[in-house]
Amino acid sequence: MTLSRRGFLASAALSLRAQSTPLKIVVAGGHPGDPECGCAGTIARWTGLGHQVTLLYLNRGEGFCGAASLSRCASIRTAEAEKACAILKARSVFADQIDGRAIVDQAHYHSFARILSAESPDAVFTQWPVDSHPDHRAVSSLSVEAWLQSGRKFAFYYYEVAGDTSMFRPTEYVDISGVESRRRAACYAHVSQQPDKWYPQQVEVTLSRGRESGFPQAEGFLRHSESKRALLP
């Protein structure tokens, strides 16, 4: 007997609720706001089930914060990220890179891998490597290298962000229609990033993913072909 896609997802959700030990999930992004843009609904679903989610930002968004001085951007965007995490009941962790100056080399591979290892994740979600922003491409490369260094210990998935991600074809979906208000609030916590300009695009993406998966709204993910499967909420 085979399960439909929705039936499979419902079965997985039941298994996730039955977990006696909370899962540890890390969602990595190039800047404050990227994990929220691509995954806030799924993060809200996870934390609502009692699982532990950490948002790992490659930098503190030093490169842009609206009309404010660039010297203030790191503190402004760090505060916005922490507010978004509070809305999602998640933790924030920041790597040591600079917005717009991402470095991908041996030293930074090891540094990022140490940060991820310290979180002991059951699953890591990161940005898709075919992306218009170099910081997004950098965090994707750093994340996959950390996964390889771990011996593929944790599940490894990619997510998308509207306006930047190209050639993304998700294979797994999460129904986020019941947490849209929290998703929106987390994204709008990033006031300096003018969410009115990009949040509607992300809604169009989740409506489209919903049509693909049979939900009113959904976030889509692509599992690395050599990764174990994570239990999605």
Side-chain angles (χ1 to χ4, degrees):
M1 175 173 150
T2 60
L3 287 171
S4 67
R5 175 179 286 166
R6 292 194 68 165
F8 171 79
L9 293 173
S11 176
L14 288 172
S15 298
L16 189 63
R17 292 188 189 99
Q19 284 273 138
S20 58
T21 303
L23 296 173
K24 291 185 176 182
I25 312 295
V26 173
V27 182
H31 314 87
D34 287 325
E36 295 91 322
C37 181
C39 303
T42 303
I43 293 166
R45 293 281 314 274
W46 266 317
T47 59
L49 293 169
H51 300 285
Q52 300 172 14
V53 183
T54 298
L55 276 58
L56 171 55
Y57 305 107
L58 185 63
N59 57 60
R60 293 178 182 267
E62 298 89 345
F64 176 76
C65 56
S69 166
L70 287 179
S71 65
R72 297 183 55 219
C73 284
S75 60
I76 288 171
R77 296 191 66 184
T78 297
E80 290 174 347
E82 291 173 345
K83 180 178 179 180
C85 285
I87 291 167
L88 295 172
K89 300 180 181 178
R91 292 173 57 241
S92 60
V93 172
F94 297 86
D96 56 359
Q97 298 224 30
I98 304 298
D99 185 3
R101 304 178 193 172
I103 301 172
V104 178
D105 61 13
Q106 201 64 22
H108 288 84
Y109 277 139
H110 288 301
S111 173
F112 197 83
R114 284 194 296 271
I115 293 170
L116 269 184
S117 178
E119 295 298 319
S120 300
D122 296 295
V124 170
F125 289 69
T126 195
Q127 299 199 249
W128 180 239
V130 186
D131 195 287
S132 62
H133 200 296
D135 289 355
H136 298 178
R137 298 194 299 271
V139 78
S140 182
S141 180
L142 293 164
S143 297
V144 74
E145 176 64 18
W147 176 64
L148 292 170
Q149 287 187 27
S150 77
R152 300 176 173 84
K153 183 178 180 180
F154 45 82
F156 192 81
Y157 282 73
Y158 295 103
Y159 65 88
E160 63 186 326
V161 293
D164 292 319
T165 304
S166 302
M167 300 171 59
F168 189 78
R169 299 292 183 269
T171 55
E172 299 182 40
Y173 301 83
V174 173
D175 178 9
I176 63 163
S177 50
V179 291
E180 170 59 22
S181 61
R182 282 179 64 198
R183 173 176 175 255
R184 186 182 190 281
C187 289
Y188 271 78
H190 295 276
V191 176
S192 71
Q193 302 308 291
Q194 303 165 346
D196 278 335
K197 292 185 176 181
W198 51 265
Y199 187 73
Q201 298 177 54
Q202 193 64 32
V203 172
E204 287 302 314
V205 170
T206 55
L207 289 171
S208 174
R209 299 310 183 198
R211 288 191 292 272
E212 292 171 9
S213 56
F215 298 116
Q217 262 186 284
E219 289 170 347
F221 303 97
L222 180 60
R223 179 174 56 90
H224 192 291
S225 62
E226 298 175 12
S227 167
K228 65 179 72 174
R229 188 178 298 278
L231 285 174
L232 298 178

